Amino acid sequence: MPLEHAVLAFLNLQPLSGYDLQKAFEESINHFWSTTQSHIYKVLHDLEENGLAAAQIVEQDGRPDRKVYQITPDGQAELQLWMKSPQALEDVREAWLIQLFFAHNCTNEKITALLQNRIEQAREKIALYQGQVQAGLHKKADELGVERMRLLWQFTLDYGIARYQFEIAWLEQLLARVNALPSLPQSLNTSHAGD
Amino acid sequence: MPLEHAVLAFLNLQPLSGYDLQKAFEESINHFWSTTQSHIYKVLHDLEENGLAAAQIVEQDGRPDRKVYQITPDGQAELQLWMKSPQALEDVREAWLIQLFFAHNCTNEKITALLQNRIEQAREKIALYQGQVQAGLHKKADELGVERMRLLWQFTLDYGIARYQFEIAWLEQLLARVNALPSLPQSLNTSHAGD
DNA sequence: AGCGACATGTAAGCGGTTACATGATTCT
DNA sequence: AGAATCATGTAACCGCTTACATGTCGCT
């Protein structure tokens, strides 16, 4: 469960509440591991149950109580173990490839439209990563002032940018190949409701 | 629900049983949309409930009965709609990036080991795709003899290969950058259980 | 006698998202 | 007066995987 370990990794830097963690995720690793508030609270609950984190209620005046979690020795051991363990390479799993695979009865124009939409989405992602996300990471890194950390964070961002750039390049190459596709069989083109 | 639509797309070519579908998935689109037997049976059940497919029991001698599903007009309409609808570009979501992000206290050697393991896995995927998967697609395409289909199928396979090749190239580039990383802070290197 | 192919399903769990629920304080 | 921030959670659902359950036939 990667989210559990991401939470442990954050707690290993400093004690945090669910609310803090939500912001930390948003500002730090959202570009490669998005999550939700409710999932974080659930994971914290589970971590406590398993003795990997310990909670402590902190009262505040004029504000709701905070429930601050600390990593336990068991939690540190678990984290250390996980950090070393090779993760399985993710399988390709993309819904648009289903569309492409079964596009036999679609016109080349319709296929092209799908690809162009995808290129557009990838461009937006890159703009986001190079803009807001990059700025956010820079800011956080400057606060901490640890060069080694800054570079590691940058690697994760660069990965995302490179990935979406790859996506665009590959799709553009595919556009040409789609245009060269033999045309639809007439019977299917006119008579079928088909795909 | 992409699996539902993948099943509809198969049924749009010909009526099939759950067992047939499992084999069809295995032989055709497993390289970008893997699934399981039980999931297929569940989806078929749901499709029938929603009137997108209709089942028919076919008795056999010496074999268990088959439950053969046919796509309905509603199913065809739904499929046609989905085929045109742009899919959201998948977010980057990779657990090893969590490891990289928090690798501050890991030695460069440990980071390198993770990357190399990933490169190795990607190489294996490429070998698989260029070998068995490519052969399987060729065989199926030859049986059908429709060039337009053959090419579309090839595109989905080429995507996978290109993706894993990208992965390798990017990781190899990262290896150099990891070696150039400023070393661990001594205090953390020696005293902490840490990450 | 044992295994693989044929054939259909259920149950439990996992990691995750969306929607719901509550309520004070501070800023505009 | 209304919105944003602070703060914690539950419930329901989704897509999917793993494990379980059952049984026949044909081949070796």
Side-chain angles (χ1 to χ4, degrees):
Chain A
M1 315 148 198
L3 184 60
E4 271 187 28
H5 292 97
V7 166
L8 281 179
F10 273 119
L11 294 183
N12 197 42
L13 300 176
Q14 62 193 294
L16 292 166
S17 70
Y19 191 84
D20 297 335
L21 276 162
Q22 199 195 337
K23 280 194 299 184
F25 269 80
E26 188 67 37
E27 291 167 12
S28 298
I29 70 172
N30 196 48
H31 59 288
F32 62 85
W33 202 272
S34 68
T35 189
T36 56
Q37 182 245 61
S38 33
H39 203 185
I40 287 171
Y41 281 110
K42 192 190 178 292
V43 162
L44 282 172
H45 185 266
D46 295 350
L47 287 176
E48 194 180 14
E49 204 166 62
N50 298 328
L52 305 182
Q56 195 177 350
I57 306 284
V58 177
E59 285 170 38
Q60 301 182 115
D61 44 323
R63 294 266 166 89
D65 292 357
R66 305 177 71 231
K67 199 165 163 186
V68 177
Y69 290 83
Q70 249 185 294
I71 195 169
T72 63
D74 276 8
Q76 290 189 320
E78 170 59 32
L79 176 60
Q80 212 180 344
L81 204 69
W82 183 80
M83 284 292 291
K84 282 185 291 191
S85 67
Q87 304 297 303
L89 192 67
E90 289 75 13
D91 285 341
V92 171
R93 189 178 192 78
E94 309 208 356
W96 77 280
L97 289 175
I98 302 177
Q99 296 177 321
L100 188 61
F101 189 91
F102 289 106
H104 176 227
N105 296 339
C106 296
T107 61
N108 292 355
E109 287 69 35
K110 274 183 190 161
I111 300 174
T112 299
L114 286 180
L115 303 190
Q116 249 142 12
N117 172 276
R118 232 177 136 71
I119 290 172
E120 190 44 47
Q121 288 189 64
R123 290 214 174 103
E124 281 164 21
K125 286 279 190 188
I126 291 174
L128 187 72
Y129 277 31
Q130 289 180 333
Q132 277 176 240
V133 181
Q134 178 70 78
L137 276 196
H138 266 324
K139 197 186 144 209
K140 279 237 154 192
D142 287 349
E143 279 167 28
L144 270 167
V146 184
E147 182 65 2
R148 187 177 166 86
M149 268 193 179
R150 193 187 70 71
L151 286 168
L152 288 167
W153 297 359
Q154 190 65 47
F155 295 166
T156 66
L157 180 53
D158 290 351
Y159 176 81
I161 294 169
R163 173 81 106 68
Y164 290 121
Q165 280 170 345
F166 157 77
E167 208 75 23
I168 290 170
W170 194 84
L171 288 166
E172 277 172 350
Q173 160 270 156
L174 185 62
L175 279 174
R177 289 213 276 166
V178 167
N179 283 332
L181 229 37
S183 55
L184 300 181
Q186 273 305 310
S187 61
L188 293 167
N189 196 10
T190 53
S191 65
H192 281 198
D195 40 350
Chain B
M1 315 149 196
L3 184 60
E4 271 187 27
H5 292 98
V7 167
L8 281 179
F10 272 119
L11 294 184
N12 198 43
L13 300 176
Q14 63 194 293
L16 293 166
S17 70
Y19 191 84
D20 297 334
L21 276 162
Q22 201 196 337
K23 279 195 298 184
F25 269 81
E26 188 66 37
E27 291 167 14
S28 299
I29 70 173
N30 195 48
H31 58 287
F32 62 85
W33 202 273
S34 68
T35 188
T36 57
Q37 182 245 60
S38 35
H39 202 186
I40 287 172
Y41 281 111
K42 192 191 178 290
V43 162
L44 283 171
H45 186 268
D46 295 350
L47 287 176
E48 194 180 15
E49 204 167 60
N50 298 328
L52 304 182
Q56 197 177 348
I57 306 284
V58 177
E59 282 169 40
Q60 302 182 115
D61 44 319
R63 295 267 165 89
D65 293 356
R66 305 179 69 232
K67 199 166 163 186
V68 177
Y69 290 84
Q70 246 185 295
I71 194 167
T72 64
D74 276 9
Q76 290 189 318
E78 172 57 33
L79 176 60
Q80 210 178 346
L81 204 71
W82 182 80
M83 284 293 291
K84 284 184 295 194
S85 67
Q87 303 298 303
L89 191 69
E90 289 76 14
D91 284 344
V92 171
R93 189 178 191 78
E94 311 207 356
W96 76 281
L97 289 175
I98 301 177
Q99 296 176 322
L100 187 61
F101 189 91
F102 290 106
H104 176 228
N105 298 340
C106 295
T107 62
N108 292 356
E109 287 68 33
K110 275 184 190 161
I111 300 174
T112 298
L114 286 180
L115 304 190
Q116 248 142 14
N117 172 275
R118 232 175 137 71
I119 290 172
E120 191 43 47
Q121 289 189 63
R123 290 214 174 105
E124 282 164 20
K125 287 279 186 186
I126 291 174
L128 188 73
Y129 278 31
Q130 288 179 334
Q132 278 176 242
V133 181
Q134 179 71 77
L137 277 195
H138 267 324
K139 198 186 145 210
K140 278 235 152 194
D142 287 350
E143 279 167 28
L144 271 165
V146 185
E147 182 65 3
R148 188 177 165 83
M149 268 193 179
R150 193 188 69 73
L151 286 167
L152 287 167
W153 297 358
Q154 191 64 48
F155 295 166
T156 66
L157 180 54
D158 290 350
Y159 176 81
I161 294 169
R163 172 80 106 64
Y164 290 121
Q165 281 170 344
F166 157 76
E167 209 75 24
I168 291 170
W170 194 83
L171 288 166
E172 277 172 350
Q173 161 268 156
L174 186 61
L175 279 174
R177 291 213 275 166
V178 166
N179 283 331
L181 229 38
S183 56
L184 300 181
Q186 273 307 309
S187 59
L188 293 166
N189 196 9
T190 53
S191 65
H192 281 200
D195 39 349

